[in-house]
Amino acid sequence: MQKAMTGAKMVVQALKDQGVEVVFGYPGGAVLPIYDEIFQQNEIRHVLVRHEQGAVHAAEGYARATGKPGVCLVTSGPGATNAVTGLTDALMDSIPIVVLTGQVPTFMIGNDAFQEADTVGITRPCTKHNWLVKETERLSDVIHQAFHVATAGRPGPVLVDIPKDVQFASAGYTPKQKARTTHYQPKVKGDLDRITELAELMAKAERPILYTGGGVINSGPAASQLLRELAEETGFPVTSTLMGLGAYPASGKQWLGMLGMHGLYEANLAMHGCDLMINIGARFDDRITGRLQDFSPRSKKAHIDIDPSSINKVIHVDIPIVGDVAHVLEDLLHVWKAQGRKVNREGLAKWWAQIEDWRAVDCLKFEQTGRTIKPQHALARLEALTRDHPDRYICTEVGQHQMWAAQYMGFDAPNRWMTSGGLGTMGYGFPASIGVQMAHPDALVINVAGEASWLMNMQEMGTAVQYRLPVKQFILNNERLGMVRQWQELLHGERYSHSWSEALPDFVKLAEAFGAKGIHCADPDTLDEAIMEMLAYDGPVIFDCLVEKHENCFPMIPSGEPHNKMLLGEASTLDAIGAKGAVLV
Amino acid sequence: MSALKIKKGTSRHSAYDLRDPHAEAPETHTLAVLVDNEAGVLARVIGLFSGRGYNIDSLTVAEVDHTGHTSRITIVTTGTPSIIEQIKAQLGRIVPVHEVHDLTVEGRSVERELALFKVAGEGDKRVEALRLADIFRANVVDSTLGSFVFEITGTPEKVDAFADLMRPLGLVEVARTGVAALSRGAQG
């Protein structure tokens, strides 16, 4: 006989059974019974955020830094609606999170009760799956299923909506092992015939490229290891999307840097000129492809993805392989070795010579001149001073600083880089850094931010201080919405419509008001010293780094243009974006 | 029809794929989707179509297995071959969806729709309506001195044809169920 307990107790028990250690949440009327159970135990730590959006991003940061699902607990109505941005963010970036929401009691649902919202209706399109649990007997089973769905196949956010009367009522508890196994079992093994076909093409290729993405990270550490093995075995060049940084080490010889709209020259031209493109866990996002008709026109394309709907969605591929990256790469390496395949050495040598020519352009070069800190310089210094830290995690907000961080910071391991890729959520990075630091209390966690993004979830300073999380908020402050400003310059005749703030806070005083440390730096000569001071401080720091206000982010593929039409700097920007490109984002 | 005029999307079982990926003409496909009959499942399917901008020409749904609580949703949709492929892949991604079948490409199938037609009229028109109903094997399920309700079953084209004929004879209202479809032969 299953042990009987209240729904609220069941929630806590199910979380324990799932190995949950941390819950990010915010209490309210409809989740009070669950909070009462949390109060009466010590195994699960609860982190009180200052806004539900912060809870979800923190859970995302936790999930990305650990590979385990992140968990949130919020109340009904506004608690649930505030979680929507985070859910959408996690859906776009395939991050496994489980959000538990309180709901008004079942007998009041549909009556426009206080703090009632149609949570499952609102979150249906922004979750992988969601459940409204109307019977306590189903509750523990559903929570176990929720963890399964969030983590199986292509990961994603799930939500369980729990009415208050269901939390109070008692029923038998279903342990994890006895939970109803759902039919949801995505295929992880790739088709061997296709894999063999790919191995054949790899042996013939003269200009191959490995185009990797977040799927490698999501597949787990083994996938990154296998990717490195594959690169080592073949000598193929490797590039990655924003989401996949760290899967292949930035210090590796074959690393071309990030590709895409603000990717590196050599990476984008190699994508354009290759004859075999092997997409491993990426999804041909519009930030990557540019103009579709001219995307890598002369290549055969293979695509490894666990989600069948990703294949042929944007770009038609020649060899589709549906499966988990680690499983497919393992089979691919096995086939490659078993058949004694060798790469086309001569072709590959010419290809690398061509790539070296592109590399010689040195597309990220900049000059730190004058008395104002260039944002690139700030990040290059931050990188130089933290690169050798044994346990470093970098989060970002969204905008120019995010692209510069991706360009100037290097990642040698997966799960060390948390950024909002698909949705582009300003306000993501700070709460995400809190989630990362909760998972790794002794690590160095830095959030590279712009002042505008950072202000969007600045209330989480309270959380950082309360839980003594020594997160470093490295703000590149240009007093502008830098990326918006850049587009207005390039596209809208330099009419800077509402893209600056005339009422920014004094970040040092702001930090002090929260009980944290504030550092201000505007002088290139004292930058290193200031960064060292930030690193040395044992506690949360807001680092206000005043930077050049009108710096643009290059290289850049203008909207509506192909990879080989990159802009390398200011001189090339005149009329770079045509009328067709202007409608794109 | 000339021999080369092969309906796009139907060539899967021929030796050569005659589809030209660059000439993407829209096609109409009938999809059968087997789902868990749980709350919100229809909203998920419909939300997928509206959210991603796909068309629904018709949609029917009912529980087909009362013990296993599974429902069959039959969707008729129109789109280019790549859109149709996307629709199927996206449907397959929905957690409570068990199976997605494209009856248009998976061999031959039967498609039937039920419709009710209310036709009001007197004299010759009334007689003509009844005569045509007989030709179409429609049943009279309600009659007054001035009206009939006909029940007709058939392909959507047959129902359309019947509607065209009834219109000048005093058609008042039509109710259609949408398409139910099954593959032919012994295999499920």
Side-chain angles (χ1 to χ4, degrees), chain A residues 24 45 47 430 433-441 460-461 463-473 538-541:
Chain A
F24 302 91
R45 289 191 67 192
V47 176
F430 184 14
S433 71
I434 285 174
V436 176
Q437 192 83 74
M438 276 306 295
H440 305 287
E460 299 305 330
M461 271 316 282
T463 313
V465 171
Q466 178 171 339
Y467 295 91
R468 299 185 190 171
L469 302 171
V471 288
K472 313 299 184 218
Q473 304 302 311
D538 184 21
V541 176

Side-chain angles (χ1 to χ4, degrees), chain A residues 336-351:
Chain A
W336 179 265
K337 287 177 187 164
Q339 296 182 337
R341 297 260 180 208
K342 293 277 175 289
V343 294
N344 179 340
R345 294 243 163 259
E346 203 179 322
L348 204 55
K350 273 193 209 157
W351 180 227

Side-chain angles (χ1 to χ4, degrees), chain A residues 249-272:
Chain A
S251 56
K253 282 198 309 289
Q254 288 146 253
W255 176 239
L256 301 188
M258 180 178 78
L259 80 159
M261 184 175 265
H262 293 288
L264 272 69
Y265 186 69
E266 50 268 42
N268 281 330
L269 286 199
M271 286 287 279
H272 190 78

Side-chain angles (χ1 to χ4, degrees), chain A residues 124 129-130 183 307 309 313, chain B residues 38 43-44 86 93 95 97:
Chain A
R124 203 173 278 129
H129 195 60
N130 62 13
H183 71 90
D307 179 358
S309 79
K313 181 170 73 178
Chain B
E38 60 179 37
R44 287 179 209 284
Q86 253 311 288
R93 226 153 77 103
V95 173
V97 168

Side-chain angles (χ1 to χ4, degrees), chain A residues 368-552:
Chain A
Q368 173 58 51
T369 51
R371 303 305 312 153
T372 314
I373 301 174
K374 286 227 179 205
Q376 298 94 323
H377 178 66
L379 288 176
R381 291 318 301 158
L382 181 68
E383 168 71 357
L385 295 171
T386 60
R387 172 127 212 183
D388 295 331
H389 192 283
D391 203 10
R392 184 189 75 167
Y393 293 83
I394 303 288
C395 302
T396 78
E397 305 285 345
V398 167
Q400 287 183 323
H401 68 272
Q402 178 189 28
M403 294 297 111
W404 281 317
Q407 291 171 344
Y408 291 93
M409 307 197 79
F411 300 92
D412 280 349
N415 303 97
R416 303 240 159 207
W417 163 250
M418 338 294 142
T419 192
S420 172
L423 193 64
T425 310
M426 291 172 73
Y428 166 88
F430 184 14
S433 71
I434 285 174
V436 176
Q437 192 83 74
M438 276 306 295
H440 305 287
D442 300 322
L444 170 62
V445 182
I446 303 172
N447 176 35
V448 175
E451 84 288 347
S453 281
W454 193 83
L455 287 172
M456 280 202 180
N457 269 324
M458 59 165 268
Q459 76 285 346
E460 299 305 330
M461 271 316 282
T463 313
V465 171
Q466 178 171 339
Y467 295 91
R468 299 185 190 171
L469 302 171
V471 288
K472 313 299 184 218
Q473 304 302 311
F474 192 74
I475 301 176
L476 298 178
N477 184 352
N478 61 358
E479 301 172 353
R480 302 285 183 281
L481 311 186
M483 194 60 96
V484 171
R485 200 210 67 86
Q486 176 168 347
W487 281 57
Q488 287 173 334
E489 181 185 322
L490 298 180
L491 269 175
H492 294 279
E494 300 179 47
R495 290 179 296 280
Y496 299 118
S497 183
H498 301 273
S499 55
W500 79 97
S501 170
E502 283 187 85
L504 287 171
D506 176 329
F507 284 99
V508 174
K509 282 188 186 156
L510 183 68
E512 284 162 7
F514 274 107
K517 183 180 177 64
I519 299 174
H520 177 81
C521 182
D523 178 0
D525 291 342
T526 60
L527 179 61
D528 276 24
E529 202 182 311
I531 291 175
M532 294 307 286
E533 188 188 350
M534 169 181 89
L535 298 175
Y537 185 72
D538 184 21
V541 176
I542 302 179
F543 190 107
D544 179 23
C545 186
L546 215 57
V547 296
E548 169 60 47
K549 299 185 198 321
H550 303 123
E551 192 68 19
N552 282 337

